[in-house]
Structure formats: C-alpha cells, structure tokens
Amino acid sequence: MAAEAVPEEVLLNNDLIKELVEVAKDTALLHGLLLRTKESPYSSEVVSYIPFTLFPTPVPRDLFQQALQVQTLFNQLVDKISRDSCFLEEALAGPIKVDMFTARLFQIYRTVQQEACAQSIALCLNRSDYMLDLRPDRNATLKQIEINTIAASFGGLASRTPDVHRHILKVAGLPEHSKRVLDNNPAAGLASALAKAWELYGNKVIFYSLPYFFFFFSLMYICRNIPVIRRRFSDVFKTGLLDQDKKLFVDGKEVAIVYFRHGYMPDNYTEQSWEVRLMMERSQAVKCPDIGTQLAGTKKVQQVLAQPGVLERFFPNEPEAVARIRATFAGLYTMDIGEEGDRTVAMALANPEKFVLKPQREGGGNNIYGEEICRVLQEKSERVAYILMDKVNPQPSRNYLLRHGSPVKLATCLSELGIFGAHIRQGTDVVWNQCAGHLLRTKSAEYADGGVAVGVAVLDNPFLV
C-alpha cells in the first residue's frame, strides 16, 4: 500500500505546501466546513474551519468495501440486541455494579421493559469505527474499534470534505488523483432515515437534544422541510410532559422523534436530566437512540459478542452473516471477577503496551494505554467496569493536519474509518436498513486516543488504493 496519496515531490515542496494550505482553508470555509472556536464556544458569530488533512489518506479498496458491506449486518445486530433484555442484563451485570452511569441507563431500560412502554417505531443511526491492523506479513485486516449508537457525529461535515480535497489535488497539479476521492453523502442518508421515521410516526416535530457548544446537527435542513426544536434537558424538565396516551409534548408541541446529540457522558446529566430521559423513554416518541440501543453500544456488549457462539444467538442459521461480522473483531477480553478475568489481568500486566483498556463510554478520549493500565487494574473491584482489547497496529501515513491556531508541519499519522448505518423497525418489520456513507478521521501518531471534538483528530477522506 502506498504511504501517501500524493507524490513525494509534492509532499516535500514547501512553497507549494504553503500555497495549498491557504487554498485549503479558503475552500473549507466556502464549503461550510465550520465550527465555533475554542475561545468563543457559545458564539454563533465567531467560527473557523473544521480541522482537516491537507491531502486524503490511502485506504485499501478491498478493506473499504468490506466495511461498507458488513454495515447492514451491524445495523441488524444492534437492533436485535436492543430488544433482548435477557442478553443485556446478563452482559452488563458486572459493569452496572461499579459504573454508576451505565447503571443509571440500565435502570431506565429495566423500568421501561417492566412497564411495557416499547415504542412501535425504532430508529438507529449508528457509526461503526475501524482501524486497519497491519500484520507481520505486511498485509492489513479490518478491525472494529467500536460502534457508536448515540450521537454518531460528522455526517454533515463528511458530506462536504470530498469537494475540498478534490480541489486541493487539482491545484496541486494532480487532477487524476482527484478522481479517486469518493463521493460521500452520509448527511442525505441519515436525513432520509430520520424523515422516514418522522413520516411513520405522523409528521410532528423533531426534538433535538443540544448542548449549545456542540456542532449543530443540520441534516433536516439539507433537503427536508421538517420542524425541529432544539432544547437542553433542563428546558424539557420545565416544559415537557406526557399525555394519557404517552405522547410526548415539549413547549406544547407533540414530538415525533427525540434525537440525542448528547446524553452519552455522565456530565451530560443532572438529576433533572435523568428524570427527563426516563419520561422520554416512556413516551411513544421515536428515540434515536432508545435506551436499549444506547446500551447495545457499550464496550462490554462488544466484548461479549466476540465470545464463541454469541453471534449465533442473533443470527441463527446464518453462518455467512456471523462469519462476516466476526472477521472484523479484534481480540476482546473480559475483566469480570473470576478465573477468566484473572487471566486477562495477568496478560495485561505482563504486556500493557499490547492492549487498550476501555470503559463503557462513547465520545473519544476515554481509553487507557500503557503503564496507566497497570495502575487502573490495581483496583480489583473496579476492573469489571472495563474490557480489554488488543491494540491495533495501523499502517502509518504522512500528511499535514490543518487546525486553527496550530503550526502546519508534515506529521506521521494514523487513521480511523467510520461507516454510517441507518435502521428503522416498525413493530417486528424492518422498513429501512442501509449503509449511509463513511467518515475518515486522522490524527498524529503521537496521540494514543482522542477524536475531533476533543481536539486530537481531524477530518479526512479515503483515497482508495
């Protein structure tokens, strides 16, 4: 596999790079690749360009296609897990004893299950993230890092980055290279699924849970005339209510869909927020995600799925589907109290640099590496809040990372490929199951963990090789 998407003479031509950097920034601004600045996170009048790479990054075509083709199976898997209360209760039995955030989520799930408050329409917009694991024979394999089932972000921005990279390559004198940057429009795919769920419910408003400093989820404004209200949990605590039919109203308007743009981290919640979340889960409104789907995205569920025979529970008599999903799994190990968990701990302590310790969190910047793993594992009772995963050995590339206020220099980079999925079920009938597009994020190899929102990774595009 080529190390870069551009020739060496372009990559090392300092005068050309300076010109391309300025062109790239202007092109990003013209295409709406914007975010609020760190200095003015609450101001809609002060924005800059979203962090992104100067050039697209090489990705093997066969592995890219593998990731696309398995996505609809992951969509089905998440939906099946969300409805299997026995599986979720057994899988999460350990984490909910020591991880209070996961325990609170599971308490809501259990309450809703006991009250039979299940919504008739289930909508999941997810993103399955992968890295390419370079084996000793120098061949790469696709390995899933995680699946994000709540606030799977950057669908809108990823739809705009291909044109930026195409233009940069043309200015660099590489028009043929620009043709290898793929079309990509996850915004349209995700918006279409939201619109379909909205139609199935009955064309009411969509409620959008927004902490004001996050990127605005603008999918509904791309090509749809659907009313959207944006509120915090604290606002809904004041104006939200359920009627006798368990229809949800916010500001006096009936809500068709609740889209959670946050709610995946403990600091997103106050006691009022937990009350609001329970009220929403009890309602007939379509939750994206519902509480079961959010729990299906926990790392413990990811680890349990990798155990022998577990995937067969969800895909009985479908060995090909099981094989295609399992082929993407990295080594995943339990931290439960007992002999198997003790073996995992011993393995991690002996070679901590070979593993990643993962808590039950989404959002980036939560994983634990190296000697820090040893420190965490000293607390035996706390270890069940985590899973252990083999550390992926990705193929590095070289690129320039453009970030507001940071110097531009050639860096050794690592990339992560995300595939968006959209799934709708009405009752027991699947009415929508699609791969909605892709996302590539790249970071400097000096960082072990962290996404775009936490200031480590930047947006990118695959350059198929």
Side-chain angles (χ1 to χ4, degrees):
M1 183 173 71
E4 289 85 31
V6 299
E8 190 85 354
E9 59 266 25
V10 172
L11 203 64
L12 299 179
N13 185 331
N14 291 333
D15 291 337
L16 178 58
I17 293 299
K18 289 179 181 178
E19 177 188 351
L20 293 177
V21 166
E22 295 307 311
V23 169
K25 292 176 182 178
D26 288 343
T27 306
L29 294 173
L30 288 170
H31 282 79
L33 289 170
L34 307 173
L35 83 165
R36 295 170 179 175
T37 66
K38 185 186 299 183
E39 295 76 19
S40 304
Y42 301 102
S43 173
S44 296
E45 297 181 354
V46 182
V47 296
S48 184
Y49 57 87
I50 190 80
F52 67 105
T53 59
L54 184 59
F55 301 112
T57 294
V59 173
R61 185 182 299 272
D62 58 339
L63 299 183
F64 180 78
Q65 291 297 328
Q66 180 188 356
L68 294 180
Q69 292 165 6
V70 77
Q71 184 57 43
T72 53
L73 292 176
F74 273 113
N75 294 346
Q76 294 177 53
L77 179 60
V78 168
D79 180 62
K80 290 171 188 254
I81 292 170
S82 72
R83 292 182 283 153
D84 193 330
S85 58
C86 292
F87 173 80
L88 282 174
E89 183 145 7
E90 183 176 346
L92 297 174
I96 63 176
K97 292 177 182 177
V98 295
D99 181 349
M100 290 303 100
F101 177 67
T102 304
R104 291 295 294 266
L105 292 173
F106 190 79
Q107 183 181 2
I108 292 176
Y109 178 75
R110 183 178 284 156
T111 298
V112 171
Q113 289 289 312
Q114 292 172 347
E115 295 179 359
C117 300
Q119 60 194 34
S120 61
I121 303 165
L123 167 66
C124 178
L125 304 180
N126 65 71
R127 195 188 70 231
S128 184
D129 290 339
Y130 305 91
M131 295 184 82
L132 308 185
D133 191 27
L134 196 62
R135 301 182 305 196
D137 62 6
R138 306 305 293 172
N139 289 318
T141 58
L142 187 76
K143 293 303 175 187
Q144 187 185 58
I145 303 302
E146 63 180 348
I147 188 162
N148 301 274
T149 60
I150 178 170
S153 59
F154 296 112
L157 292 169
S159 301
R160 297 173 178 265
T161 55
D163 284 339
V164 175
H165 274 149
R166 287 180 185 131
H167 183 65
I168 294 167
L169 290 170
K170 289 175 183 177
V171 174
L174 301 168
E176 292 303 312
H177 283 62
S178 71
K179 297 176 183 178
R180 293 166 69 179
V181 178
L182 298 173
D183 287 334
N184 185 36
N185 197 358
L190 299 174
S192 296
L194 275 165
K196 180 62 177 179
W198 178 73
E199 292 169 1
L200 290 172
Y201 182 89
N203 301 358
K204 303 300 181 181
V205 304
I206 291 181
F207 167 80
Y208 175 71
S209 169
L210 177 75
Y212 292 162
F213 54 89
F214 272 101
F215 312 109
F216 178 54
F217 183 73
S218 59
L219 301 183
M220 287 297 93
Y221 299 100
I222 296 172
C223 56
R224 307 285 180 178
N225 186 24
I226 296 178
V228 178
I229 56 174
R230 299 188 294 159
R231 297 291 184 274
R232 298 184 182 188
F233 283 144
S234 57
D235 300 322
V236 182
F237 183 80
K238 298 173 184 176
T239 69
L241 59 88
L242 295 182
D243 71 4
Q244 60 184 6
D245 297 319
K246 294 190 176 177
K247 293 180 179 180
L248 175 65
F249 289 82
V250 175
D251 296 349
K253 300 173 182 177
E254 184 180 349
V255 175
I257 297 176
V258 176
Y259 177 83
F260 292 102
R261 184 58 192 89
H262 70 161
Y264 54 87
M265 293 290 285
D267 61 6
N268 295 158
Y269 289 87
T270 64
E271 281 304 313
Q272 288 183 351
S273 303
W274 286 115
E275 291 183 38
V276 169
R277 185 69 190 269
L278 176 58
M279 177 180 68
M280 290 174 165
E281 293 297 329
R282 282 173 160 158
S283 76
Q284 288 190 31
V286 181
K287 275 73 69 176
C288 184
D290 63 28
I291 200 80
T293 301
Q294 183 172 351
L295 291 170
T298 55
K299 304 304 180 289
K300 183 59 181 178
V301 166
Q302 182 186 11
Q303 179 261 310
V304 171
L305 289 172
Q307 294 176 343
V310 176
L311 281 176
E312 286 81 354
R313 174 186 183 127
F314 300 103
F315 293 94
N317 305 315
E318 296 185 67
E320 182 181 350
V322 168
R324 287 170 61 192
I325 295 173
R326 187 167 285 143
T328 69
F329 288 168
L332 294 155
Y333 311 97
T334 181
M335 303 297 295
D336 289 348
I337 303 299
E339 291 185 7
E340 187 177 0
D342 290 344
R343 287 194 296 269
T344 299
V345 170
M347 183 173 64
L349 293 177
N351 295 286
E353 71 282 354
K354 292 184 177 181
F355 302 100
V356 181
L357 195 63
K358 307 180 82 170
Q360 315 303 314
R361 298 288 183 271
E362 291 190 21
N366 300 298
N367 295 335
I368 298 168
Y369 299 84
E371 291 302 319
E372 185 68 9
I373 292 176
C374 301
R375 187 193 66 78
V376 172
L377 293 184
Q378 290 176 358
E379 296 291 336
K380 182 174 182 179
S381 62
E382 299 295 319
R383 79 188 197 194
V384 296
Y386 300 86
I387 67 162
L388 193 73
M389 177 176 165
D390 284 343
K391 190 176 181 181
V392 174
N393 179 36
Q395 168 76 50
S397 62
R398 291 185 296 166
N399 213 324
Y400 294 89
L401 308 183
L402 308 188
R403 183 181 287 109
H404 174 70
S406 297
V408 178
K409 60 182 181 179
L410 187 61
T412 300
C413 301
L414 305 175
S415 298
E416 187 170 310
L417 174 67
I419 305 296
F420 291 100
H423 188 278
I424 304 173
R425 174 179 43 79
Q426 187 170 30
T428 59
D429 298 327
V430 175
V431 298
W432 195 284
N433 185 17
Q434 295 183 5
C435 173
H438 61 268
L439 166 73
L440 193 69
R441 290 166 297 167
T442 294
K443 65 184 179 184
S444 172
E446 66 184 291
Y447 294 104
D449 192 23
V452 177
V454 296
V456 173
V458 305
L459 296 189
D460 198 349
N461 277 298
F463 182 86
L464 296 190
V465 295

